[in-house]
Amino acid sequence: MNSKQIIALLPYQDPFLFVDDLTEISSKGISGHYTFKKETHFYKGHFKNNPITPGVILTECMAQIGLVCLGIYILKDEFVENTNPKIALTSSQVDFFLPVYPGEKVTVVSEKEVFRFNKLKCNVKMYNEKGDLICRGKISGMIKA
């Protein structure tokens, strides 16, 4: 299963799809990119005259790439065309270090900690284009084909 096939199985679409490409994919981890579009609606109010990406959106980007895409890859043999995966975020604990501005491209790197009984727990990090750590945390969720 390749990047395009995994992204096609995601249950998200614009404006709530935060995955542009997946660059490394294995059963042990995954990495990918997303560029935050300057015209996205939440920048108009977060914050006045100094727009930055809300932490909840950064967490969502980390979860989509680092948890959901990895879960789809791990369960790839259970997915068929037109499968609509069932996904539930069960926990997230994220520490934030740097802001993400409109138009900025980020890289998400995820390492599987455990996958058991369709529950996936990952250590996920997000970096900016300079390679600086933006945020990191543990994200867990349930996924079923």
Side-chain angles (χ1 to χ4, degrees), residues 12 23 28-29 38-39 44 47 49 57 63 76-77 79 81 90 96-97 108 114 116 127 132:
Y12 316 106
T23 53
K28 294 181 182 182
K38 291 180 181 182
E39 65 278 358
K44 293 176 185 160
F47 293 95
N49 303 318
I57 299 296
K76 64 184 175 280
D77 294 336
F79 286 94
E81 196 170 328
T90 58
F96 300 93
F97 305 105
V108 174
V114 65
R116 189 174 324 141
Y127 299 93
D132 299 325

Side-chain angles (χ1 to χ4, degrees), residues 7 14 18 22 38 41 44 59 62 66 90 96 100 116 129-130:
I7 293 169
D14 192 47
F18 300 110
L22 302 172
K38 291 180 181 182
H41 72 283
K44 293 176 185 160
T59 302
M62 292 169 69
T90 58
F96 300 93
V100 174
R116 189 174 324 141
E129 288 185 274
K130 296 179 197 171

Side-chain angles (χ1 to χ4, degrees), residues 13 59 67-68 81 110:
Q13 64 184 15
T59 302
L67 192 77
V68 181
E81 196 170 328
S110 177

Side-chain angles (χ1 to χ4, degrees), residues 9-12 16 59-60 63-64 66-69 71-72 75 79 84-92 114-122 138-145:
L9 285 170
L10 289 172
Y12 316 106
F16 208 74
T59 302
E60 180 65 27
Q64 286 186 19
L67 192 77
V68 181
C69 288
I72 289 170
L75 294 170
F79 286 94
N84 200 6
K86 285 100 181 130
I87 297 161
L89 182 68
T90 58
S91 67
S92 65
V114 65
F115 178 70
R116 189 174 324 141
F117 305 116
N118 286 24
K119 183 170 183 177
L120 179 60
K121 184 177 188 179
C122 296
K138 289 187 183 286
I139 302 177
S140 301
M142 303 288 291
I143 184 165
K144 188 170 182 179

Side-chain angles (χ1 to χ4, degrees), residues 16-28:
F16 208 74
L17 176 63
F18 300 110
V19 183
D20 288 335
D21 188 32
L22 302 172
T23 53
E24 293 184 30
I25 308 166
S26 79
S27 59
K28 294 181 182 182

